[in-house]
Amino acid sequence: MRAFTYERATDPVAAARAVAQRPGARYIAGGTNLLDLMKLEVETPTHLVDVQDLGFTRIERTPQGGLRIGALVTNTDLAADDHVRRDYAVLSRAILAGASGQLRNKATTGGNLLQRTRCPYFYDTNMACNKRRPGSGCAAIGGYSRQLGVVGVSTSCIATFPGDMAVALRVLDAMVETIDAHGQTRSIPIAGFHRLWEDKPQQDTVLAPGELITAVTLPPPLGGQHFYEKVRDRASYAFALVSVAAVIQPDGTGRVAFGGVAPKPWRVEAAEALLPQGADAVTRQAFEGATPTKDNDFKLPLATRALAYVIAQAKA
C-alpha cells in the first residue's frame, strides 16, 4: 500500500473543502470498497478524510411523510429499521441481498451509492481500463464479459454498477442530498445520480470534486407489494448477474428497476406501463437497443424470467 496522509473531519463543509482542494484526496467512512481498491493499487489516494464523526447517522420522518436517511447510517441499521421494513420493504430486501452481515455492519448509505464496479479488468492493474486510466482502452471489450453490461454501455466501457441498494432506491425515486466546499447544498434525483459511461467512464456519478453526500430522502410510501429478486452465481456474497426491484400494486401496475445490467440502476418508466401485459412486454422495451456480448447475452432472457417470477409472486 502506498503512503497517504489522514485527517478526521468534524465539519461537513471543512471535509468537502479538504477533498476539493487537495488532488488525490478521498473520503473514507466504512471503507468496505475503498480499502480493497487501495490494497490492489486500483485507488491510490494521497490523503484520506474520515467522515465518521459527522453525525449523519439518523433515520427520520420528513414533513412530507417520507424518510430521511443519514449518509452514515449503516446497511444493517437501515435494513432493520421498522419504518423501512414496513413501508419501503424493497429497500430492506435489496440491502439484505448484498454482501455479508459483517460488511453490512460497516457499509454506509452514502458509501454504498459510491461503490465502484467489480469488473475484473478494472481490478487488474495489468489490464487496459478506461475507468482506471482514461484513454488506455477497455480490455473487457473483446475479453471475458459474462458479468458485465448489456445496456447503457459504450465503446469506452462495458462495466456495470454492482450495488443492490441503489436499484431499490431507483424504484422508490429517492433523492441524494449533498454539500460542497462552499456550503452549498443540493438534492439530486437518484435517476440522474449515476452516469452512463459514454466517453468518460472514469466519472461514476455527477458529484463535483469534494461534494459530500449527507443524506438520502425517500418520498411517501408507495404501498403495494415489494420485491427484490437477485440472480447470482452463488447464494450469498456475490454480485448480481441480474436483479429486479419491483413494487407491484393490486391492479398489476407498478414500478420496476434492474441491476447487474448497466452502468446505473436501469429503470425505463415507459416500460413499466406494460406490466399488466407481462414480463416479456416490459423487458422488450426496457432493454431496447441492448448490445450484449456473446458471453452475457443470457442476461436478457434471464431478466425476463426474473421479472416473470416477481409478477407471479405478486399474483399468488
Side-chain angles (χ1 to χ4, degrees):
M1 186 179 290
R2 300 187 185 187
F4 58 88
T5 52
Y6 170 90
E7 67 176 282
R8 194 141 185 161
T10 56
D11 174 78
V13 176
R17 190 179 302 121
V19 173
Q21 296 179 351
R22 189 160 183 169
R26 296 286 188 275
Y27 293 118
I28 188 168
T32 57
N33 189 200
L34 180 60
L35 292 178
D36 283 343
L37 295 172
M38 289 173 65
K39 292 172 185 177
L40 296 171
E41 297 193 351
V42 173
E43 289 267 10
T44 55
T46 57
H47 184 65
L48 293 182
V49 178
D50 192 328
V51 296
Q52 293 183 78
D53 293 338
L54 295 184
F56 304 139
T57 57
R58 298 180 65 183
I59 302 173
E60 305 169 289
R61 292 286 191 136
T62 66
Q64 296 76 26
L67 216 58
R68 187 175 188 271
I69 303 159
L72 294 174
V73 173
T74 67
N75 285 182
T76 295
D77 288 345
L78 183 56
D81 181 82
D82 288 340
H83 295 311
V84 174
R85 293 175 62 193
R86 183 182 66 244
D87 297 330
Y88 305 96
V90 64
L91 177 57
S92 182
R93 290 169 183 171
I95 293 170
L96 292 174
S100 65
Q102 292 91 335
L103 286 173
R104 291 194 296 269
N105 287 341
K106 292 294 293 180
T108 63
T109 299
N112 199 292
L113 290 174
L114 297 175
Q115 63 182 302
R116 308 208 68 188
T117 185
R118 265 55 177 194
C119 173
Y121 297 98
F122 173 70
Y123 271 74
D124 186 345
T125 56
N126 294 309
M127 305 300 292
C129 175
N130 287 319
K131 288 186 70 61
R132 186 171 12 85
R133 190 157 59 92
S136 63
C138 177
I141 297 176
Y144 182 68
S145 54
R146 181 174 183 272
Q147 192 77 26
L148 305 181
V150 298
V151 68
V153 295
S154 74
T155 57
S156 298
C157 181
I158 60 172
T160 59
F161 176 76
D164 296 293
M165 185 187 79
V167 185
L169 292 177
R170 180 67 181 91
V171 161
L172 296 170
D173 281 335
M175 301 289 288
V176 182
E177 297 183 2
T178 69
I179 192 167
D180 68 14
H182 305 289
Q184 299 294 312
T185 61
R186 65 168 172 160
S187 293
I188 307 168
I190 190 70
F193 181 77
H194 296 100
R195 295 180 65 256
L196 296 180
W197 301 143
E198 299 171 333
D199 60 345
K200 294 182 179 179
Q202 71 275 18
Q203 297 179 11
D204 292 346
T205 72
V206 298
L207 292 179
E211 193 170 7
L212 174 67
I213 298 174
T214 56
V216 171
T217 57
L218 302 178
L222 292 172
Q225 298 184 74
H226 291 218
F227 302 92
Y228 191 77
E229 183 66 24
K230 182 175 181 179
V231 184
R232 46 190 162 175
D233 283 328
R234 56 182 184 272
S236 65
Y237 201 61
F239 297 98
L241 293 168
V242 168
S243 64
V244 177
V247 176
I248 308 294
Q249 301 297 338
D251 62 359
T253 62
R255 299 181 181 184
V256 177
F258 297 91
V261 295
K264 60 193 296 183
W266 194 253
R267 179 181 171 197
V268 178
E269 281 84 342
E272 294 172 345
L274 303 175
L275 264 170
Q277 299 180 31
D280 285 314
V282 174
T283 55
R284 191 180 305 115
Q285 181 155 344
F287 292 97
E288 185 178 8
T291 54
T293 69
K294 61 180 177 59
D295 294 327
N296 65 21
D297 58 1
F298 71 91
K299 287 193 175 189
L300 298 176
L302 185 60
T304 301
R305 291 197 295 270
L307 178 56
Y309 177 67
V310 166
I311 293 172
Q313 285 185 295
K315 292 178 178 178

